[in-house]
Amino acid sequence: MKNQPTHFLLVEDEPAHAELVKIAMDENAVANTMDHVEDGEEAVRYLNGEGQYAGRRRPDVVLLDIRLPKMDGHEVLEYMKTRDHLSTIPVVMLTTSDADSDRIKAYEHNANSYVTKPVDFEQFRKMVRDLQLYWAVWNHPPVTTP
Amino acid sequence: MTSGFVRFDECGGVGRVWVVPLAERNRVDRDASPTPIDTTKLEVELKSVVNELRLQKFAIDEHAIVAITDPAGIITYVNDKFCCISKYTREELIGRTHRIINSGHHPKSFFVEMWITIASGETWHGEVCNRAKDGTLYWVDTTIVPFKDSSGKVTSYTAIRADITERKAAEEGLARANEKLQKTNEELEQFVYTASHDLKSPIVTLQGYLDLIRKDIENDRADRVPGFIDRLDTACGKLRKCVNDLLELSRAGYVTFQPETIRMREFLAKLLRSHDLEIREIGVDVRVQEELPDIVFDRQRLVDVLDNLVTNALKYGMTADEPVLSIHAHETEAEVRFCVQDNGAGLNPDYHDRIFNIFERIDTSRGGTGIGLAIVKKIMTNQEGRVWIESEPGEGAAFWVAFPKTLSTPALSTDTGGAYEKPTDTLSSRRG
């Protein structure tokens, strides 16, 4: 089995939403780690381990917002799924958008999951807990993290 | 014989049917008897037939544009209506082919198909765009009938045409209106999509932190509450600004446009005065070109355009040690161009197109909604104008707006004050 806790990368430009995810994770007390970046280009640099991210841990799961500055979530997703070294990392689209066009586009680019942010915090916390449990406990990743 | 002709304008009378009473002819027919040829009767009948043809020709000439050509297409006859609509004299047309009025609108294959049809003895029908002598274009609904001799050889072609220029113009207008409507629909879809997202996002924040505050109070844990309230505050500000900007954007597209001549020097002085506080706080060196051309535009829309550009420059372009905001103009044959330029951090060319999209923000640290430049673009493109950016990283940014000179120029307005209005709420939130 796994020898270190599941590592999430959260790509979210809205500081309040990022904090909500962190507060929810703290309350849920599921063992996992998480890093947070604020735009699409930063996410790509993180994933490639460029510059300040040279020593970063490769994420087991990416939680990806859609409306992001510089490079939006669809572009980051397409980038990841068309690169051999990143294509196997599961990507969960985590967004306020319930537009059909966004959902269709995300799955066309091989998103692994599509989740909309609940408005009510208790729901939000449960959603985050379910994501943590599913990706950190029940799901087996494609390869052992290097 | 009764005759009911009504004359009408030389080039008018499109598409009307004229019935010429032929009582005379009918009477002759009725009286015809099977007796041996009676030359007197024959003469009467002949006269009657000639008269009838004369009347029919008169009726056709009243209604239609008529031309007759020989088998090679050389014009041998034109009626007055042909001369009137083509603006050529009869002398200029006889002996020439129809190439003289070819507009170049139709491909060669169009006329090849026509010639194949009529040369084989068939009637051809179609709508043709022609060019008059003075260069104006006109559309005619055309029927060409080939006449053959007893051996079946074509001896001449008669072309009968009706002026359908107005109908064509109406059709084109309708197609243009349709296209515009489709564009508006697409814009509206995009608008609803982005608006719904950017309005929902602060709601997730508001509800989320409200729930957290309630929980913390229940659990007697007040230490996190002030921070949470700050989050609520920020989300409310975002929501308010987003709603204001959305209203401004929707106004940009749907409000009537009333062009007037605007003295730019005075206009800009007034506009910059409304930013006086920020300008003094930041310590900006503002430089406005001495001589500025007047432009013709809707005053409120011009406020929206230039105020957004100035706001944008003050928000993002003031990163230099000695910040400079410069406004200058450049006039070409077709456009008057204005430039709002800063000496700030500049912008990577990769983002140059994206910054004009609705809700697009490249730098999220300054708290804009990403609607300002979309408003500028919408107003400018609605009036056939243009907007673009010239910038390299580290070399400042120059935002250009080009106003077409084709807008009609009403009398110079002396009122430079009354129409200038800006919601104070937007102003205060921008400073905040």
Side-chain angles (χ1 to χ4, degrees), chain A residues 107-124:
Chain A
Y107 282 115
E108 273 173 1
H109 289 149
N110 298 314
N112 300 78
S113 181
Y114 190 101
V115 176
T116 50
K117 297 170 185 165
V119 169
D120 176 84
F121 179 75
E122 198 42 32
Q123 295 290 318
F124 193 96

Side-chain angles (χ1 to χ4, degrees), chain B residues 98-250:
Chain B
H98 278 81
R99 226 166 285 159
I100 193 171
I101 51 167
N102 188 338
S103 64
H105 175 86
H106 305 280
K108 224 173 178 173
S109 56
F110 179 83
F111 293 109
V112 168
E113 187 266 344
M114 179 199 88
W115 271 107
I116 289 172
T117 307
I118 59 174
S120 71
E122 300 280 319
T123 297
W124 182 86
H125 188 95
E127 293 179 350
V128 185
C129 177
N130 287 330
R131 185 188 301 277
K133 191 181 180 180
D134 64 359
T136 54
L137 297 177
Y138 62 93
W139 278 88
V140 279
D141 181 77
T142 302
T143 302
I144 303 176
V145 184
F147 285 109
K148 291 175 276 191
D149 62 14
S150 53
S151 68
K153 209 173 129 234
V154 173
T155 54
S156 69
Y157 298 106
T158 297
I160 300 174
R161 302 176 170 94
D163 183 358
I164 53 165
T165 310
E166 274 179 31
R167 195 193 85 202
K168 279 284 176 186
E171 280 173 8
E172 273 168 35
L174 203 63
R176 263 200 307 277
N178 224 338
E179 210 173 287
K180 200 170 175 186
L181 201 64
Q182 212 170 335
K183 217 179 115 207
T184 310
N185 261 340
E186 282 165 20
E187 270 178 19
L188 198 66
E189 258 173 51
Q190 174 71 10
F191 181 85
V192 169
Y193 165 75
T194 35
S196 67
H197 174 277
D198 279 44
L199 293 173
K200 253 188 216 166
S201 177
I203 292 172
V204 170
T205 308
L206 289 172
Q207 188 67 58
Y209 283 92
L210 272 177
D211 292 347
L212 283 172
I213 290 169
R214 192 179 296 123
K215 232 164 76 169
D216 278 8
I217 290 173
E218 277 168 16
N219 297 334
D220 254 342
R221 263 197 71 183
D223 57 311
R224 296 196 300 182
V225 171
F228 290 167
I229 288 175
D230 285 347
R231 291 288 192 206
L232 294 183
D233 229 12
T234 311
C236 277
K238 273 186 186 167
L239 209 51
R240 192 184 53 195
K241 177 136 179 57
C242 190
V243 170
N244 281 344
D245 283 359
L246 284 170
L247 287 174
E248 200 180 326
L249 182 67
S250 70

Side-chain angles (χ1 to χ4, degrees), chain B residues 219-412:
Chain B
N219 297 334
D220 254 342
R221 263 197 71 183
D223 57 311
R224 296 196 300 182
V225 171
F228 290 167
I229 288 175
D230 285 347
R231 291 288 192 206
L232 294 183
D233 229 12
T234 311
C236 277
K238 273 186 186 167
L239 209 51
R240 192 184 53 195
K241 177 136 179 57
C242 190
V243 170
N244 281 344
D245 283 359
L246 284 170
L247 287 174
E248 200 180 326
L249 182 67
S250 70
R251 231 177 32 205
Y254 305 111
V255 164
T256 51
F257 188 88
Q258 293 172 319
E260 60 177 292
T261 303
I262 296 168
R263 291 205 185 284
M264 288 306 289
R265 181 88 203 161
E266 296 157 32
F267 180 88
L268 284 170
K270 183 138 194 165
L271 181 76
L272 288 166
R273 263 203 303 282
S274 74
H275 289 280
D276 200 37
L277 198 70
E278 292 155 274
I279 287 167
R280 267 187 294 170
E281 264 175 18
I282 308 170
V284 189
D285 178 6
V286 179
R287 300 172 191 169
V288 180
Q289 188 178 315
E290 276 299 320
E291 295 289 323
L292 288 170
D294 295 338
I295 66 165
V296 177
F297 214 69
D298 179 284
R299 185 173 291 275
Q300 187 55 47
R301 298 291 83 74
L302 188 64
V303 170
D304 292 341
V305 167
L306 289 172
D307 189 68
N308 270 307
L309 292 182
V310 168
T311 303
N312 193 64
L314 290 174
K315 190 182 270 172
Y316 299 106
M318 299 297 118
T319 48
D321 289 339
E322 289 173 7
V324 177
L325 172 70
S326 120
I327 300 178
H328 48 96
H330 173 71
E331 201 166 350
T332 70
E333 209 169 292
E335 295 173 328
V336 182
R337 299 175 186 166
F338 274 82
C339 179
V340 177
Q341 190 167 9
D342 63 60
N343 64 340
L347 189 71
N348 189 323
D350 289 351
Y351 304 133
H352 284 190
D353 289 333
R354 289 178 61 161
I355 53 167
F356 296 104
N357 293 346
I358 182 172
F359 300 108
E360 195 76 56
R361 284 156 300 165
I362 304 304
D363 179 353
T364 48
S365 63
R366 315 293 169 93
T369 55
I371 298 184
L373 291 175
I375 290 171
V376 173
K377 186 179 177 183
K378 187 163 185 187
I379 293 172
M380 292 311 293
T381 49
N382 271 358
Q383 303 305 326
E384 318 291 329
R386 302 185 295 139
V387 56
W388 70 98
I389 175 179
E390 288 169 6
S391 177
E392 288 291 335
E395 295 184 7
F399 283 87
W400 286 90
V401 275
F403 302 90
K405 287 184 176 172
T406 45
L407 282 169
S408 60
T409 46
L412 185 72

